[in-house]
Amino acid sequence: MQLYLPIAEMSANIFLLLGMGGAVGFLAGMFGVGGGFLMTPLLIFIGVPAPVAVATEANHIVAASVSGALAHWRRGNVDFKMGFVLLIGGLIGSSFGVFLFKVLRGLGQIELVISLSFVIFLGVIGTLMLAESVRAIARRRHPGRKRRKLHQHYWVHGLPLKMRFRRSKLYISALLPLSIGLIVGVLAAIMGVGGGFIIVPAMIYLLGMPTSVVVGTSLFQIIFVTANVTFLQAVHNFTVDVLLALVLLTGGVIGAQFGTRAGAKLRGEELRGLLGLIVIAVCSKLLFDLAGAPEDLFSLTVIATGR
Amino acid sequence: MTGRLSAAIAAMTLAAALTAALPAWAGPLVADIWRQQITIDSGFTGADELLYGAIDGKGDLVIVVRGPEERVVVRRKDRIAGVWVNRDKIEFENVPAYYAVGSIRSLEELNKIIPQTLLARHQIGLDALRLTPLTSRPAEEIAPFRAALIRSRVRDQLYRDQTGEVEFLGERLFRMPLHFPANVPEGTYKAQFVLFRGGEVVGEETIELPIRKTGFQAKLDSLAHKRPAYYGFSAIVLALFAGWVAAVVFRKP
């Protein structure tokens, strides 16, 4: 059954869209990630214009993050103070990101920048995940090696504007979470991702937050950052396809339920290795499309329509 | 569908009867379209149209169907550091969103029979399309961009590079089936019927064919463009609500 998507201006099979939502939702539930970094490239692969894929995915992530954030909030796993500081950075970054998006679109370079950003980030993160997973499995086989300290002190702990974050048991400079929020905000706007795959490692390794509050706090700020992206994309670029977002969400909600159950049965290291492989596969496909000779060197963009 | 088709054929017969009976009143050419309006709804996968009519006696009938005019930018990729990047670009105005030409003759034959000035005036054939490049660059630099524009539209089935299948029933009745693919934009399309005889235009008629989005999708599209702030805000509220519903439905006991 074909469904006409009004903003993407294309027909797509509704079962394909539901299936994509379900599959990414399954992986998201299994690995505890948002899935935006897989969904945006998938939408581009099926022919959704890249600007529409990015903006629509931001809208989709708002919905997907709410359920997760609510669950973590009920368990008290959200550090609101840290969340707000991250969010201030996130709002500034994402607003700048949408502005940058509009400029790049006018220059005809937005598709390239989206693809390149994905190739770089997916490549780095996929490799790190694989390496980490291999190391963890190796450690399990040869136990007895020394573990890392819980808190390490780097130069970042000497920065000014120190704030106390009770829930995270931290006394650090507010500039640190602010700038992390800023960078992730820009990426959220340009790539149509929540940025969990960057913010979560950053919170653990750079800020030294306890793992228990990391996911809840990141989901909390992702809701507002992606909401900001959705609004600004709708106003400046007219690229949010609500219908597409709703169909993806329907599939995603169901997929996530099965994913969470499947995830509970697998070991953490193997999970991370598996996700690393998927991430690298998507990255390779994007890289191949960028480097391979295009079907036609010329491309066409309609900039004004007659009615 | 067959009902409507036979209705169309009945109308054609009527038109033919009228032309035969009242040639002076009807002129040398009468034409109409089967579906007065095409709607893009939720399940739109393209649409068929039928152009039909009658001519009085001899002559060469050419039908030109054009979509609404757009402004288009054509970009050329170059390889930079192993990656294909958009570099050069040229903008064009007056680019029809759709173009098809119909005749019982091939374009090559038409080129021999009809004077070039008339082919150009009625924009018969893709070479005669008046696409206006918004640049002062020399013609030989524009040509590959223009060719790429047309090539891309032909690939998307929005332009037809062959004369469409016009059929004649007897000497006077004609019809031309037309297919609009799923990716046609909305707007007012025009079907222009021109009758040539001895290198001159003896009859001409233009019929408008609106293609419009309808239903839920049309409302979304118009809201997104006319009230973007309201649309964006609603998109967020909808997402928050959907996420909350999902959380409630699948809440673990």
Side-chain angles (χ1 to χ4, degrees), chain A residues 95-293:
Chain A
S95 303
F96 173 71
V98 175
F99 165 75
L100 199 65
F101 191 98
K102 194 178 183 179
V103 171
L104 287 169
R105 201 179 179 201
L107 292 172
Q109 302 298 352
I110 190 63
E111 280 86 0
L112 175 74
V113 172
I114 292 171
S115 291
L116 273 182
S117 308
F118 270 105
V119 166
I120 293 167
F121 281 96
L122 294 182
V124 169
I125 281 156
T127 313
L128 286 178
M129 276 176 173
L130 263 185
E132 169 83 18
S133 148
V134 169
R135 232 179 292 132
I137 293 169
R139 209 182 300 135
R140 204 167 68 213
R141 291 198 184 137
H142 308 280
R145 245 186 265 174
K146 230 178 133 185
R147 294 190 67 187
R148 255 193 301 179
K149 271 195 286 179
L150 187 65
H151 271 155
Q152 284 177 331
H153 284 259
Y154 319 100
W155 60 270
V156 288
H157 292 93
L159 287 172
L161 274 172
K162 286 211 167 188
M163 268 176 108
R164 194 169 296 283
F165 299 96
R166 290 188 197 285
R167 189 68 192 77
S168 301
K169 299 185 186 76
L170 283 175
Y171 182 60
I172 52 164
S173 165
L175 290 178
L176 208 54
L178 204 66
S179 43
I180 291 173
L182 200 80
I183 295 168
V184 175
V186 175
L187 294 178
I190 290 189
M191 300 166 72
V193 295
F197 66 97
I198 293 165
I199 212 165
V200 167
M203 284 159 117
I204 296 174
Y205 298 116
L206 287 177
L207 301 183
M209 279 171 73
T211 326
S212 58
V213 293
V214 160
V215 176
T217 309
S218 83
L219 280 175
F220 164 77
Q221 77 99 32
I222 283 172
I223 294 173
F224 294 97
V225 170
T226 48
N228 186 44
V229 173
T230 305
F231 184 77
L232 293 176
Q233 291 280 21
V235 170
H236 292 294
N237 296 316
F238 314 108
T239 39
V240 178
D241 200 314
V242 175
L243 192 62
L244 177 57
L246 278 181
V247 175
L248 293 177
L249 180 71
T250 311
V253 166
I254 299 163
Q257 298 309 314
F258 291 102
T260 315
R261 265 168 241 168
K265 288 182 193 139
L266 278 168
R267 278 180 198 258
E269 302 86 83
E270 270 111 36
L271 268 180
R272 236 172 301 157
L274 194 59
L275 184 60
L277 281 179
I278 296 169
V279 165
I280 285 175
V282 174
C283 170
S284 316
K285 161 80 174 132
L286 283 167
L287 189 64
F288 181 78
D289 289 349
L290 275 177

Side-chain angles (χ1 to χ4, degrees), chain B residues 37-40 180 184-189 209-213:
Chain B
Q37 170 162 328
I38 288 172
T39 51
I40 301 179
F180 294 106
V184 284
E186 66 173 342
T188 304
Y189 290 58
L209 164 61
I211 297 187
R212 297 271 174 254
K213 290 183 186 175

Side-chain angles (χ1 to χ4, degrees), chain B residues 63-131:
Chain B
I63 304 170
V64 180
V65 183
R66 293 153 48 85
E69 287 183 343
E70 300 174 327
R71 196 142 69 94
V72 162
V73 52
V74 184
R75 293 193 170 90
R76 187 176 61 207
K77 285 191 176 68
D78 273 318
R79 198 168 194 163
I80 300 173
V83 171
W84 292 94
V85 180
N86 284 334
R87 283 287 290 277
D88 205 357
K89 64 160 186 180
I90 292 182
E91 273 181 45
F92 290 89
E93 243 178 7
N94 307 324
V95 180
Y98 181 89
Y99 179 87
V101 58
S103 168
I104 49 165
R105 296 185 189 276
S106 68
L107 277 172
E108 295 75 44
E109 284 177 306
L110 289 176
N111 266 314
K112 282 176 205 149
I113 299 167
I114 301 168
Q116 288 302 314
T117 50
L118 288 179
L119 287 175
R121 181 188 303 160
H122 296 282
Q123 303 195 50
I124 295 167
L126 289 170
D127 291 338
L129 272 183
R130 272 195 300 275
L131 312 174

Side-chain angles (χ1 to χ4, degrees), chain A residues 11 18 58-59 61 68-69 79-80 99 130 143 163 178 183 197 216 273 300:
Chain A
S11 269
L18 283 173
N59 191 20
I61 295 169
D79 182 339
F80 283 102
F99 165 75
L130 263 185
M163 268 176 108
L178 204 66
I183 295 168
F197 66 97
L300 225 143

